[in-house]
Amino acid sequence: AQSVSQHNHHVILSEAASLELGCNYSYGGTVNLFWYVQYPGQHLQLLLKYFSGDPLVKGIKGFEAEFIKSKFSFNLRKPSVQWSDTAEYFCAVNAHYKLSFGAGTTVTVRA
Amino acid sequence: DTAVSQTPKYLVTQMGNDKSIKCEQNLGHDTMYWYKQDSKKFLKIMFSYNNKELIINETVPNRFSPKSPDKAHLNLHINSLELGDSAVYFCASSRQTGNQETQYFGPGTRLLVL
């Protein structure tokens, strides 16, 4: 069974700072990789996804993620965060039609 | 034009009661899911239906019974509610295309068992 680990439980940063959230998975086969965002009190929204091809994936709201197969990693980045990026971020791995989520990272952006 | 919708949005009930949560998707997807998000925000899949057939049933108490009347609907019935059932329940749907699929989530149902 696959598992997903997110390195940071809570990240606090100031507006305009750069953000990087780590995600590692354990599964040896072909995987689909996702980052979802959950704004306070809201549902999960898809930020970006990787299926195949270019390992650098661009998503919505200026986010991007890089798939490094040798490291089983799919880290999320944003060069300059805004206050509105305050949310819970979930990395997810889909293998054999089953989506497994990491524990989530709470990102708090201070104005 | 909501893609994945759930009702009710909030549900407060007493222990021992039976309740249902409904989910509908208008995306033409063939697979639907129920997830439970606990108080620590951890998300775990409960069930998955593909073309009205159960394909994933994670170790969920049999007090939880999903029902899929058609491909666009997946309801969750919970018998004899317990305090530990308090959580946010998310429905999701996807279209199976080989081994590539993206799941889209509903707004969640916040269940509080007193």
Side-chain angles (χ1 to χ4, degrees), chain A residues 32 36 38 43 49 94 97, chain B residues 37 96 99 101-103 106:
Chain A
N32 302 156
Y36 285 88
Q38 187 177 25
H43 65 291
K49 59 187 177 183
N94 191 341
Y97 309 113
Chain B
Q37 186 176 44
Q96 298 290 340
N99 63 350
E101 59 144 345
T102 301
Q103 294 185 24

Side-chain angles (χ1 to χ4, degrees), chain B residues 70-83:
Chain B
D70 54 58
K71 287 197 299 184
H73 296 85
L74 180 63
N75 304 325
L76 183 65
H77 188 75
I78 315 171
N79 288 328
S80 303
L81 278 155
E82 299 177 357
L83 293 177

Side-chain angles (χ1 to χ4, degrees), chain B residues 89-105:
Chain B
Y89 292 84
F90 286 100
C91 177
S93 74
S94 70
R95 178 179 288 118
Q96 298 290 340
T97 50
N99 63 350
Q100 295 184 355
E101 59 144 345
T102 301
Q103 294 185 24
Y104 295 90
F105 286 78

Side-chain angles (χ1 to χ4, degrees), chain B residues 23-40:
Chain B
C23 178
E24 177 181 1
Q25 55 94 4
N26 63 5
L27 297 167
H29 290 166
D30 54 8
T31 307
M32 296 184 71
Y33 310 81
W34 277 109
Y35 289 84
K36 180 180 180 181
Q37 186 176 44
D38 62 24
S39 58
K40 295 185 179 178

Side-chain angles (χ1 to χ4, degrees), chain A residues 68-88:
Chain A
I68 303 180
K69 190 174 181 180
S70 60
K71 296 185 178 180
F72 296 89
S73 70
F74 191 54
N75 293 352
L76 181 72
R77 296 192 290 254
K78 184 170 183 177
S80 175
V81 295
Q82 300 172 311
W83 175 81
S84 58
D85 292 322
T86 294
E88 193 82 18

Side-chain angles (χ1 to χ4, degrees), chain A residues 9 30-32 34 36 38-46 49 51-52 88 90 94 96-104 106, chain B residues 9-10 33 35 37 40-45 48 55-56 58 88 90 96-108 110:
Chain A
H9 180 64
T30 301
V31 294
N32 302 156
F34 305 84
Y36 285 88
Q38 187 177 25
Y39 297 103
Q42 295 191 26
H43 65 291
L44 284 93
Q45 300 174 39
L46 182 68
K49 59 187 177 183
F51 288 160
S52 62
E88 193 82 18
F90 294 93
N94 191 341
H96 292 307
Y97 309 113
K98 186 178 166 184
L99 192 63
S100 298
F101 284 88
T106 303
Chain B
K9 191 171 181 180
Y10 299 96
Y33 310 81
Y35 289 84
Q37 186 176 44
K40 295 185 179 178
K41 304 273 185 169
F42 186 68
L43 272 154
K44 188 168 168 56
I45 190 166
S48 171
I55 56 171
I56 292 175
E58 293 292 294
V88 183
F90 286 100
Q96 298 290 340
T97 50
N99 63 350
Q100 295 184 355
E101 59 144 345
T102 301
Q103 294 185 24
Y104 295 90
F105 286 78
R110 284 149 183 80

